[in-house]
Amino acid sequence: VQLVDSGGDPVQPGGSLRLSCTASGVTFSVLNVAWFRQVPGKEREMFAAISTDNGFLYYHHSVKGRFTVSQDNAKNTVYLQMNRVKAEDTAMYYCAAAARSWGGVWYSHTSSYSYWGQGTQVTVSP
C-alpha cells in the first residue's frame, strides 16, 4: 500500500492550492482518508477527512468554508482544494488512510491511520 501526496507550493495569502493524495495497493472505495498538517514543534493535527465509500466529509472549523475535500475514484485520488489560504495554514501536509468503511465516527489521532503519504509543504507568505 502506498500513498503519494503532492501539490504543496509557496502561495500568497488569499490564494489557492490543490493537494492530491493518490493511493495504490488498497481498495480505494473503502477508505477513510484524512488530511493532517504539522508545524515544527507541534503535533500532527487532523483537519479534514472523507469516507470514500459514501462521500461523507469532515472539516475542522479552522478550515471549514475555505478547504474542500473530494475524491476521484477513477484515479484513486483524494484532493484537498485550499482556498483563501492564510499564513497560519503554513505547514507540512500529510494524507493518511485507513482501510475501513464509514463507522459513524471520525478518527483524529494519527494512530488510527495505517497508511501515510510522505508529506508536502505548503508555505503561505506575501
Side-chain angles (χ1 to χ4, degrees), residues 105-121:
V105 296
W106 294 109
Y107 297 91
S108 61
H109 199 276
T110 55
S111 63
S112 298
Y113 297 87
S114 303
Y115 314 117
W116 289 83
Q118 77 283 5
T120 186
Q121 177 68 38

Side-chain angles (χ1 to χ4, degrees), residues 19-68:
L19 306 186
S20 300
C21 174
T22 301
S24 60
V26 67
T27 304
F28 183 78
S29 60
V30 187
L31 289 176
N32 283 182
V33 178
W35 287 96
F36 287 74
R37 59 188 181 184
Q38 187 173 25
V39 297
K42 292 192 174 182
E43 291 187 355
R44 200 169 293 188
E45 296 182 333
M46 193 269 268
F47 63 90
I50 186 168
S51 182
T52 61
D53 58 334
N54 58 17
F56 282 9
L57 295 164
Y58 163 81
Y59 298 102
H60 188 266
H61 64 81
S62 61
V63 304
K64 198 168 188 178
R66 299 189 299 122
F67 292 6
T68 303

Side-chain angles (χ1 to χ4, degrees), residues 66-78:
R66 299 189 299 122
F67 292 6
T68 303
V69 178
S70 62
Q71 65 187 86
D72 185 335
N73 291 348
K75 295 183 179 180
N76 280 10
T77 298
V78 169

